[in-house]
């Protein structure tokens, strides 16, 4: 089955700086890669997702890049703000798989220092 | 609160108790899910329902019993739980059953004594 590794587990950056969270996956058949943000005590929320036929996707200060050859994908947050502090989860889903083909990483706790 | 609503928010139960978690979605989605979230572990899929039919059961112990009476409501019936079952139980919904663009509820924080 799919295995998703996420790094780092904790990331502290100064407000205004950029943050990068990286995930690797094991199954080359994976074709869908979402990122979820979970603020303390709140629900996970989808912030961006990408499919394997696209190498990069941007939405304002957030971008995701995908390297299919190396089987890794990354979340980039620019001009970080205090409200970006949260736990971020990546996931990968195997092509043709249902929901059980969606494997999550363990999460990255992003801390924005004022 | 709109979207996906879960009750109760917190639950403490003994190992011999029987309780139920409730989830309701107001998004017109066709699929509903139960996930378990434990500290320092990835989100674990427990059950998936699509149009009220169970389509996934990820080797979950029988002490967890799901019920989906219609496409808007999902229950998780709990009995004879173990302390290691203590976790945050998240309900989610999506338009299709493939796990894309999940809308999560706020979860039920369960403690088993």
């Amino acid at each position: 089955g799919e295995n998703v590794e996420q790094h780092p587990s904790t990331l502290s950056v100064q407000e205004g700086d950029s943050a990068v969270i990286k995930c690797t996956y094991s199954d080359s058949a994976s074709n869908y890669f979402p990122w979820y943000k979970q603020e303390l005590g709140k629900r996970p929320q989808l912030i961006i997702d990408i499919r394997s036929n696209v190498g990069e996707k941007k939405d304002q200060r957030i971008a995701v890049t995908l390297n299919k050859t190396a089987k890794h994908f990354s979340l980039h947050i620019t001009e970080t703000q205090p409200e970006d502090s949260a736990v971020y989860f990546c996931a990968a889903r195997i092509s043709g798989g249902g929901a059980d083909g969606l494997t999550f990483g363990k999460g990255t706790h992003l801390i924005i220092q004022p | 609160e709109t979207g996906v609503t879960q009750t109760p928010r917190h639950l403490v139960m003994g190992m011999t108790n029987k309780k139920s978690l409730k989830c309701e979605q107001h998004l017109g989605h066709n699929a509903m899910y139960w996930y378990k979230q434990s500290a320092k572990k990835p989100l674990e899929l427990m059950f998936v329902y699509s149009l009220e039919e169970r389509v996934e059961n990820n080797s979950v112990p029988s002490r967890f019993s799901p019920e989906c009476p219609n496409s808007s409501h999902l229950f998780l019936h709990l009995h004879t739980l173990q302390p290691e079952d203590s976790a945050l139980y998240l309900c989610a919904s999506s338009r299709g059953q493939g796990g894309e663009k999940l809308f999560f509820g706020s979860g039920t924080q369960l403690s088993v004594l």
Side-chain angles (χ1 to χ4, degrees), chain A residues 8-23:
Chain A
S9 57
T10 304
L11 177 61
S12 181
V13 301
Q14 289 295 123
E15 182 178 350
D17 287 351
S18 296
V20 181
I21 302 170
K22 299 180 180 180
C23 288

Side-chain angles (χ1 to χ4, degrees), chain A residues 25 30-31 33 50-57 64-69 71-74:
Chain A
Y25 59 99
S30 291
N31 68 346
F33 308 90
I50 192 170
R51 296 185 184 279
S52 58
N53 59 346
V54 176
E56 183 176 2
K57 184 176 180 180
V64 58
T65 57
L66 172 65
N67 183 326
K68 287 189 292 183
T69 303
K71 291 189 283 189
H72 67 71
F73 56 112
S74 300

Side-chain angles (χ1 to χ4, degrees), chain A residues 31-103:
Chain A
N31 68 346
Y32 174 68
F33 308 90
W35 285 89
Y36 286 84
K37 174 185 180 182
Q38 187 174 26
E39 296 177 54
L40 185 63
K42 296 192 175 181
R43 70 191 71 203
Q45 290 186 294
L46 178 70
I47 54 172
I48 195 166
D49 55 6
I50 192 170
R51 296 185 184 279
S52 58
N53 59 346
V54 176
E56 183 176 2
K57 184 176 180 180
K58 287 184 178 179
D59 183 2
Q60 300 182 337
R61 296 186 296 108
I62 292 172
V64 58
T65 57
L66 172 65
N67 183 326
K68 287 189 292 183
T69 303
K71 291 189 283 189
H72 67 71
F73 56 112
S74 300
L75 179 71
H76 304 255
I77 306 175
T78 59
E79 300 172 18
T80 53
Q81 300 169 6
E83 54 264 36
D84 295 329
S85 293
V87 178
Y88 291 80
F89 296 93
C90 66
R93 191 196 66 187
I94 298 173
S95 172
D100 69 335
L102 185 67
T103 303

